[in-house]
Amino acid sequence: MSESLLSRKYFDGIYIPAGLLVVGTAIVKIEWTLYAVLAAVALGALKFFNTRPAKVLKPDVFQEFELQEKTIISHNVAIYRFALPHPSAILGLPIGQHISIGAVLPQPDGTSKEIVRSYTPISGDHQPGHFDLLIKSYPTGNISRHMAGLGVGQTIRVRGPKGAFVYTPNMVRHFGMIAGGTGITPMLQVIRAIIRGRGAGDRTEVDLIFANVTQQDILLKEDLDALAAEDKGFRVHYVLDKPPAGWTGGVGYVTADMITKYLPKPADDVKILLCGPPPMISGLKKATESLGFKKARPVSKLEDQVFAF
């Protein structure tokens, strides 16, 4: 999100010092006022560009970032915080896009191979100085197991941005989102951007179906519930394959009936976003098409009514 030119930072750091330079010069020697104005503009412009957050991502070059903090969420899930080069730096990642993480890893045949996987940070460019990744490690995972073994002070290799989806405020009237497991990360990125943008006029409605196996598998539930409580334009609907006794949410796989019940109906100003395991996404593409949404492409494009990350 771009910072307002009327923010306190610019008044204190640029406008007031520039004004004092011009006024002071006029008091001392009024014929030098024009030169003072030119000097104030030049110095103000230099200060402005020096205080703007530096974007560090490069799409074609891997860069190393150091693990600053690791927060264990469960036996196989953690939030990894990586430091950026300086406190005012930002990744420069558009909302809805993701990064690639690469590592040279040993293979079962004794060779080594570079493996690259995509991840969406749960932080954003409004939080300079670091970025956060929520990662679930799998026994057969390459990068996820590598990440689980990282210690504070070690580094990962990152490049980006990448991805066909870029969120812009009010791009649709209503998002219907369906996420499975760690597929919540791009959804959370978009949801937070929408809610941050309310003051600037973002009116986008969001309904999210979040599917998991058990209640313990629901990642970032406290964050999602807090966002739903804070913003009446966002609603979250939980679905569990193995619910506990007394569970009042959805049960089983996400079905066409659940989509009809919880998500917006097909319309030109409605978009469905999907992210989760491939078999789940395949089933959801068929379900949305059966409900009247435009058929999803094998590889999604921004203009698609049903978009799979």
Side-chain angles (χ1 to χ4, degrees):
M1 186 186 301
S2 59
E3 191 169 19
S4 170
L5 293 176
L6 299 179
S7 69
R8 179 68 181 269
K9 179 177 82 171
Y10 292 131
F11 271 100
D12 291 349
I14 297 175
Y15 305 146
I16 292 174
L20 291 173
L21 173 61
V22 174
V23 171
T25 301
I27 291 171
V28 173
K29 202 169 182 70
I30 195 165
E31 57 266 34
W32 289 357
T33 304
L34 177 60
Y35 300 108
V37 170
L38 294 173
V41 170
L43 292 171
L46 182 64
K47 182 76 176 288
F48 173 77
F49 285 108
N50 284 341
T51 57
R52 292 179 74 188
K55 297 178 181 180
V56 302
L57 273 181
K58 296 178 182 177
D60 302 317
V61 178
F62 276 112
Q63 300 177 84
E64 293 201 354
F65 299 96
E66 183 178 308
L67 181 62
Q68 193 175 54
E69 188 180 330
K70 184 174 177 178
T71 303
I72 303 298
I73 304 298
S74 70
H75 72 284
N76 63 352
V77 179
I79 295 175
Y80 302 82
R81 172 162 291 184
F82 292 91
L84 293 175
H86 48 85
S88 64
I90 59 174
L91 269 181
L93 185 71
I95 299 298
Q97 294 206 300
H98 47 269
I99 59 175
S100 294
I101 296 178
V104 177
L105 302 175
Q107 300 301 298
D109 63 1
T111 63
S112 291
K113 181 180 177 182
E114 182 174 56
I115 306 294
V116 178
R117 294 289 183 269
S118 296
Y119 291 93
T120 303
I122 58 171
S123 56
D125 286 348
H126 63 293
Q127 300 163 296
H130 68 268
F131 65 95
D132 296 338
L133 297 172
L134 173 75
I135 296 179
K136 183 173 185 175
S137 61
Y138 296 92
T140 57
N142 284 293
I143 297 296
S144 68
R145 278 192 302 137
H146 174 68
M147 295 289 288
L150 283 181
V152 171
Q154 292 184 285
T155 62
I156 59 167
R157 297 165 64 240
V158 172
R159 71 183 177 199
K162 60 178 294 189
F165 186 87
V166 177
Y167 176 73
T168 52
N170 298 310
M171 65 189 293
V172 293
R173 172 180 56 85
H174 200 153
F175 277 120
M177 300 179 174
I178 309 174
T182 53
I184 191 61
T185 55
M187 308 304 186
L188 185 60
Q189 189 190 48
V190 174
I191 291 162
R192 284 175 168 165
I194 289 169
I195 294 174
R196 284 198 308 274
R198 293 298 192 208
D202 196 332
R203 301 177 302 279
T204 311
E205 295 274 320
V206 181
D207 277 277
L208 164 69
I209 296 175
F210 189 17
N212 288 278
V213 178
T214 69
Q215 192 166 10
Q216 290 70 37
D217 293 323
I218 303 175
L219 301 171
L220 302 171
K221 187 175 188 298
E222 289 184 6
D223 299 64
L224 291 166
D225 290 343
L227 289 169
E230 170 193 342
D231 189 273
K232 59 182 175 55
F234 167 57
R235 294 158 294 274
V236 57
H237 315 279
Y238 298 105
V239 175
L240 295 180
D241 192 33
K242 297 177 181 177
W247 174 255
T248 57
V251 176
Y253 295 136
V254 178
T255 62
D257 286 344
M258 289 181 192
I259 295 170
T260 299
K261 180 178 180 180
Y262 295 127
L263 302 189
K265 304 295 182 286
D268 289 341
D269 54 0
V270 163
K271 192 183 285 285
I272 302 295
L273 303 180
L274 310 174
C275 192
M280 175 184 178
I281 298 306
S282 178
L284 291 173
K285 284 182 175 181
K286 293 174 184 173
T288 52
E289 186 182 359
S290 74
L291 294 171
F293 290 95
K294 293 173 186 172
K295 184 176 180 178
R297 291 185 240 211
V299 179
S300 296
K301 296 185 179 297
L302 180 61
E303 64 269 20
D304 291 355
Q305 188 175 42
V306 177
F307 184 98
F309 287 96

